[in-house]
Amino acid sequence: VQLQASGGGLVQSGGSLRLSCAGSGRTFNRNKMGWFRQAPGKEREFVAAITWNGESTYYSDSVRGRFTISRDNAKNSLYLQMNSLKPEDTAAYYCAADRTFYYSGEIFQANEYDDWGQGTQVTVSS
């Protein structure tokens, strides 16, 4: 089972990036998925999550209105569109998937997710 995150890079403040996360080894279309991030010297924090069917999305207060999470179950993929980026968004971004089918509880908690991608670095310059 593998999650491969991509799309990170260096962007100026106010710019945009789109992160992708491709799943392999099993299908994720019955599992909630999320994005977390970790900046140097800080703990990993919740960014956004989406239910297994894509009907509900959740965001941290710091990104709500700027970031959009989506998924394409036919492609076994997860996305994060990031607009109006700020220097404080600089971090390594990780995609994650739960293994429990059709369960959306504790969606903000990192320890609820079982499979993790390797991380993709996002750097926002001021």
Side-chain angles (χ1 to χ4, degrees):
V1 175
Q2 186 175 12
L3 292 171
Q4 183 73 35
S6 62
L10 174 63
V11 64
Q12 289 187 335
S13 180
S16 299
L17 285 173
R18 185 181 190 233
L19 305 185
S20 298
C21 176
S24 61
R26 69 173 177 94
T27 59
F28 295 90
N29 58 11
R30 293 173 289 179
N31 309 101
K32 66 175 181 281
M33 299 186 75
W35 289 96
F36 292 77
R37 67 186 182 187
Q38 187 168 19
K42 295 187 177 181
E43 294 186 353
R44 188 169 296 190
E45 66 172 356
F46 170 79
V47 175
I50 187 167
T51 53
W52 66 273
N53 55 7
E55 288 187 353
S56 296
T57 56
Y58 304 85
Y59 299 93
S60 67
D61 289 342
S62 62
V63 308
R64 186 177 294 111
R66 301 187 297 122
F67 292 10
T68 303
I69 188 172
S70 61
R71 66 190 298 163
D72 185 337
N73 283 344
K75 295 182 178 180
N76 215 28
S77 293
L78 178 72
Y79 306 98
L80 186 68
Q81 177 66 43
M82 305 187 296
N83 298 329
S84 302
L85 282 161
K86 304 175 181 180
E88 51 263 44
D89 294 319
T90 295
Y93 283 71
Y94 299 87
C95 57
D98 185 13
R99 290 186 182 178
T100 305
F101 294 158
Y102 311 122
Y103 180 63
S104 299
E106 288 82 39
I107 203 166
F108 306 102
Q109 304 298 324
N111 60 10
E112 274 293 305
Y113 295 82
D114 304 290
D115 298 306
W116 291 81
Q118 85 289 0
T120 185
Q121 179 67 35
V122 172
T123 303
V124 184
S125 63
S126 57

